[in-house]
Amino acid sequence: MILKILTVFIALIQITHIFSLENGLARTPPMGWMTWQRFRCVTDCKNFPDECISEKLIRDMADRMAEDGYLEAGYEYIIVDDCWLAMKRDENKRLQPDPERFPSGIRALADYVHSKGLKFGIYEDYGTLTCGGYPGSIDHLELDAQTFAEWTVDYLKLDGCYADIKLMDDGYPLMGHYLNKTNRQIVYSCSWPAYQEGTIQPNYTKIAEYCNLWRNYDDIDDHFGSLNDIIQWFASKQDNLSLVHGPGAWNDPDMLLIGNYGLSDGQSKAQMAIWSIMAAPLIMSNDLRTIKKWHSNILLNKNLISINQDRLGLMGKRILEINYIQIWSKTLVNDIVAFVFYNPLPYGTPRYISVPLKQLGLDKKDAYNFYETFSGDLIGKFNRTDFINIKVDPSGSVFACWAEPTKLASEPKTKSTLWKI
Ligand SMILES: *[C@@H]1O[C@H](CO)[C@@H](O)[C@H](O)[C@H]1NC(C)=O
Ligand SMILES: *[C@@H]1O[C@H](CO)[C@@H](O)[C@H](O)[C@H]1NC(C)=O
Ligand SMILES: *[C@@H]1O[C@H](CO)[C@@H](O)[C@H](O)[C@H]1NC(C)=O
Ligand SMILES: *[C@@H]1O[C@H](CO)[C@@H](O)[C@H](O)[C@H]1NC(C)=O
């Protein structure tokens, strides 16, 4: 018996050694909602009672997520970003929330979120202070991990302001170790490479061993320039980044802007489509109490969510550029391939391209049915020597579709879906 236990124990150690962050979490890209992009660091609840970072804001959003179909579609984490803390730790050096904005405390707030079937996420910073100037974790990593676990936190975003970037290669794993020691399953989101990029080469192999997701690049802001800059950055690094991307470990190009002020209809669809192709975390940051229907329809599109959540977890790539149209593709289960044709140029009219299926990598099966992604409508059936003609509107719009292998003789369905394939 003892020998048997010992053998199992040794086997476990070996498995642990090969896959370090086997915490069983984030097997598909995390989906949820976070305060930062839309609500930033508003702390004035007198003048902005509906917008300040407070337990009311989180409860309001939890209600909307549970009741308006977001949770059902997969958006499960609700995450408080910076500016929830009091300016000082308590007398036992424990973190505490701002007492005016979180009068019931974080545990009670997490209980409320859990009562809605959602999961609760929180923010801290690896350095001496958070980016907003609140107490950082660096001297209290273990205590903070314990505090989060006691509060029943399910997700931690650990930022990297006011920290030495050279310490991060050891510091972020150390926090991961303390989170693991709490025995609570906590998704670990690291900002580690985002602070190193541009100064030192991040070790993505190591980052993927210790973090469930990680921010690589600059914060997103509510306009197309920021969105397009992020898209181009990820495309330029895709060959390196895709190597470490997959179940349990995700590159994170930052929050979805959809539902806010800055993006057009076409640009909103573009972000959702490209984030889905990249298998990026889908973390909204908007006001779900006032969101317009055309925005929520994009966020709740089941085909795009299915492309994003595909269980292979491949990071799609920009495979071609033809006549300034960027073509992105991602292979899904059942040899289905999702495509996004993206037109970032601002020149008035749509652009047309005609692409041989072979150039899209579709030359292994006899024929393919193409469906438009937003609607699920049949575009047509094509054989492998065919060309497909695509029209893409300008100014950051996309045309999105998927191709599924079929027999030459079979008649295609006029509508299809990727939901729960
Ligand atoms: C802690 O790490 C071990 C080894 O990687 C893993 O098996 C276990 O599931 C982790 N526990 C939690 C709570 O993350
Ligand atoms: C990156 O981290 C991995 C795993 O921790 C390690 O084996 C490797 O030597 C590191 N690479 C560099 C260039 O430091
Ligand atoms: C890919 O990673 C290697 C080192 O791991 C680095 O030298 C190279 O510059 C990276 N490529 C890009 C495009 O960042
Ligand atoms: C493929 O389609 C083209 C054009 O529709 C047609 O000319 C050709 O015969 C088809 N090939 C096969 C093998 O069906």
Side-chain angles (χ1 to χ4, degrees):
M1 187 62 184
I2 286 178
L3 191 67
K4 204 166 173 186
I5 291 172
L6 203 64
T7 319
V8 170
F9 184 66
I10 290 168
L12 272 177
I13 289 179
Q14 283 167 346
I15 290 168
T16 312
H17 188 70
I18 304 166
F19 314 102
S20 277
L21 189 66
E22 274 306 301
N23 63 1
L25 298 171
R27 306 311 296 171
T28 60
M31 294 175 66
W33 183 96
M34 183 151 70
T35 50
W36 184 258
Q37 203 303 121
R38 176 61 183 79
F39 296 99
R40 303 281 162 148
C41 194
V42 177
T43 53
D44 178 357
C45 293
K46 259 206 191 72
N47 289 310
F48 306 101
D50 290 332
E51 298 190 290
C52 64
I53 304 303
S54 66
E55 62 182 46
K56 173 186 168 356
L57 180 68
I58 300 303
R59 284 168 177 251
D60 283 357
M61 285 320 151
D63 293 348
R64 298 279 54 81
M65 284 174 77
E67 288 163 34
D68 297 347
Y70 299 98
L71 174 59
E72 202 192 336
Y75 294 94
E76 120 183 86
Y77 292 95
I78 182 162
I79 306 150
V80 197
D81 205 281
D82 203 353
C83 306
W84 62 271
L85 281 157
M87 278 302 180
K88 283 201 160 45
R89 290 173 179 267
D90 74 7
E91 64 280 7
N92 301 314
K93 305 275 183 234
R94 283 187 176 254
L95 293 170
Q96 52 186 350
D98 181 277
E100 316 240 296
R101 292 181 283 118
F102 294 87
S104 316
I106 299 297
R107 175 60 202 259
L109 183 56
D111 286 348
Y112 185 81
V113 165
H114 291 145
S115 78
K116 299 279 162 179
L118 294 156
K119 295 189 167 138
F120 181 71
I122 210 161
Y123 166 103
E124 241 295 5
D125 188 288
Y126 170 61
T128 51
L129 297 171
T130 73
C131 300
Y134 296 84
S137 261
I138 194 152
D139 297 325
H140 305 280
L141 293 174
E142 185 164 21
L143 178 62
D144 292 353
Q146 284 166 2
T147 304
F148 296 143
E150 280 167 27
W151 286 344
T152 66
V153 163
D154 305 298
Y155 180 117
L156 173 66
K157 173 179 173 181
L158 193 64
D159 209 342
C161 276
Y162 301 106
D164 178 348
I165 58 173
K166 291 193 290 301
L167 294 180
M168 292 180 176
D169 285 3
D170 294 324
Y172 275 86
L174 184 60
M175 185 56 166
H177 168 74
Y178 292 137
L179 289 172
N180 181 279
K181 265 182 63 183
T182 68
N183 252 339
R184 186 169 175 84
Q185 292 213 298
I186 300 176
V187 170
Y188 188 26
S189 166
C190 302
S191 299
W192 166 12
Y195 285 86
Q196 293 183 335
E197 278 285 359
T199 310
I200 55 178
Q201 173 68 43
N203 184 340
Y204 280 109
T205 311
K206 186 164 186 183
I207 291 163
E209 281 174 20
Y210 289 97
C211 305
N212 290 120
L213 65 157
W214 52 88
R215 283 282 312 286
N216 308 67
Y217 186 58
D218 294 349
D219 284 1
I220 200 162
D221 288 316
D222 192 10
H223 70 110
F224 176 64
S226 167
L227 172 63
N228 187 51
D229 178 49
I230 290 173
I231 292 171
Q232 302 318 318
W233 189 88
F234 278 81
S236 74
K237 306 273 186 187
Q238 62 187 7
D239 291 333
N240 278 358
L241 299 182
S242 59
L243 294 175
V244 292
H245 192 92
W250 310 98
N251 293 286
D252 178 7
D254 210 3
M255 288 160 273
L256 295 169
L257 300 171
I258 300 156
N260 296 311
Y261 307 99
L263 300 187
S264 68
D265 182 23
Q267 293 159 359
S268 300
K269 288 177 172 163
Q271 188 183 23
M272 190 70 187
I274 293 175
W275 260 233
S276 293
I277 288 268
M278 286 200 286
L282 296 180
I283 311 288
M284 305 181 282
S285 186
N286 49 17
D287 193 338
L288 296 174
R289 297 166 299 197
T290 57
I291 191 168
K292 303 275 191 303
K293 189 84 182 123
W294 66 268
H295 277 138
S296 57
N297 283 345
I298 297 171
L299 291 163
L300 294 172
N301 185 283
K302 292 203 154 94
N303 293 328
L304 290 166
I305 291 172
S306 304
I307 291 166
N308 177 268
Q309 295 286 300
D310 178 78
R311 61 182 177 274
L312 298 181
L314 296 173
M315 182 176 179
K317 293 186 185 178
R318 186 173 69 190
I319 56 166
L320 279 175
E321 190 163 340
I322 301 174
N323 193 16
Y324 301 102
I325 301 295
Q326 301 178 14
I327 305 177
W328 290 70
S329 93
K330 178 187 184 193
T331 302
L332 314 178
V333 292
N334 303 341
D335 296 320
I336 297 168
V337 186
F339 294 97
V340 171
F341 297 76
Y342 172 56
N343 179 4
L345 295 181
Y347 306 130
T349 55
R351 296 183 94 83
Y352 296 84
I353 57 170
S354 184
V355 195
L357 261 57
K358 189 175 164 49
Q359 241 187 312
L360 297 175
L362 302 176
D363 54 355
K364 287 161 206 78
K365 310 282 171 161
D366 291 336
Y368 296 86
N369 293 330
F370 273 76
Y371 292 93
E372 198 280 330
T373 306
F374 287 89
S375 64
D377 291 342
L378 180 70
I379 297 167
K381 182 175 159 181
F382 299 84
N383 68 34
R384 63 171 131 182
T385 60
D386 282 335
F387 284 62
I388 182 167
N389 299 322
I390 302 284
K391 180 188 100 162
V392 200
D393 291 340
S395 303
S397 298
V398 288
F399 179 84
C401 57
W402 79 84
E404 36 185 74
T406 184
K407 301 262 183 314
L408 268 177
S410 74
E411 195 58 37
K413 290 179 293 181
T414 56
K415 214 171 173 79
S416 185
T417 178
L418 295 172
W419 188 244
K420 301 204 191 295
I421 51 165

